[in-house]
Amino acid sequence: MSASGGTKAIVAALGANLAIAVAKFVAFLFSGSSSMLAESVHSLADSGNQGLLLLGGKKAQREATPQHPFGYGRERYIYAFLVSIVLFSVGGMFAVYEGYEKIKHPHEIEAWYWPVGVLIFAIIAEGFSFRTAIKESNETRGSLSWKEFIRRAKAPELPVVLLEDFGALIGLVLALAGVGLALGTGNGVWDGIGTLCIGVLLIVIAVVLAAETKSLLLGEAAGADQVEKIKAAVVDGDTVTAVIHMRTLHLGPEELLVAAKIAVQHDDTATEVANAINAAETRIRAAVPIARVIYLEPDIYSEAAAAAGTNPGKAPGGAPGNAPRTTPDGTPDTSTDSGH
């Protein structure tokens, strides 16, 4: 899966949200609708969120330094996590508070045509932004369902924009329903209920985003398909005969660390092993271009010794533990294993 940052989708969402935020606030001033106020704050928060995503993408492009030798790719995860916090606090909690206050102290909506007109305009604008995000996501998600795409995507920007736009469209429908019921019944409580529902929706989306970006911040391995490509690329059937165990880690959406212990023949010379490792690194980068940092450690491995214990190389990415080390004559080596 490509780790595209979806800049086009972010810019489209930013433009739509800024225009919608202004329109909603004007509608609030003329109508006094709490749904309009909650929605204007929601759109303003979304605009700030898109700004955070663009800033994170920019900062992630900085070159590695001695203090940060693996670069700044995870900046994108940090700013995506900040988005979930903003969405929860500024969007969700504010809307819940506004809805609660409006239910306690309802008042009639004035100049109803302002909120209704703005909501219709906002639905059209958000629909355009959502369509752009869907189009960008379809270029990278392949055969994955939308749920799988959001859970597995290593680039956080597209899932964030998708969920934000989806939440915005549902929120607009809820706001329109609240305003419509308030106008139809003459009871402003419905406007407050619509606002409260918007707040709950935003909090749920914020929690989902926080959970997904937290996983990325902790460090996720490569996908199963990438792991298999790397394993196939490492083994040449001559000098490198197997992968004993392997670990992968995303240093950022478009940068992967690969660390593996590989099996070589006991009678290979140091020059042959070094050449084999260099060739394996070239094959890995050709098979999985985002594999930028690669560490391969040669070791002696025998099928007979492996049969006596667990072979982590059989599991995607390698299970905990090492395959047994052997001496040149094939017997288990009980000496200390240094370096993983």
Side-chain angles (χ1 to χ4, degrees), residues 238-275:
D238 183 16
T239 304
V240 182
T241 58
V243 175
I244 299 175
H245 70 78
M246 183 172 73
R247 298 290 184 273
T248 61
L249 178 70
H250 269 274
L251 302 174
E254 296 165 0
E255 189 168 15
L256 187 66
L257 181 148
V258 178
K261 181 170 286 190
I262 58 176
V264 297
Q265 303 292 344
H266 66 80
D267 55 352
D268 288 334
T269 66
T271 300
E272 289 172 333
V273 172
N275 290 336

Side-chain angles (χ1 to χ4, degrees), residues 1 74 77 148-156 209-224 226-227 247-253 255-258 290:
M1 180 187 298
R74 288 194 182 184
Y77 300 151
E148 290 173 330
F149 173 71
I150 290 171
R151 290 187 60 85
R152 297 185 187 181
K154 304 305 180 184
L209 282 177
E212 294 304 320
T213 51
K214 174 191 172 186
S215 178
L216 292 169
L217 275 172
L218 288 174
E220 289 189 356
Q226 292 177 322
V227 169
R247 298 290 184 273
T248 61
L249 178 70
H250 269 274
L251 302 174
E255 189 168 15
L256 187 66
L257 181 148
V258 178
I290 67 170

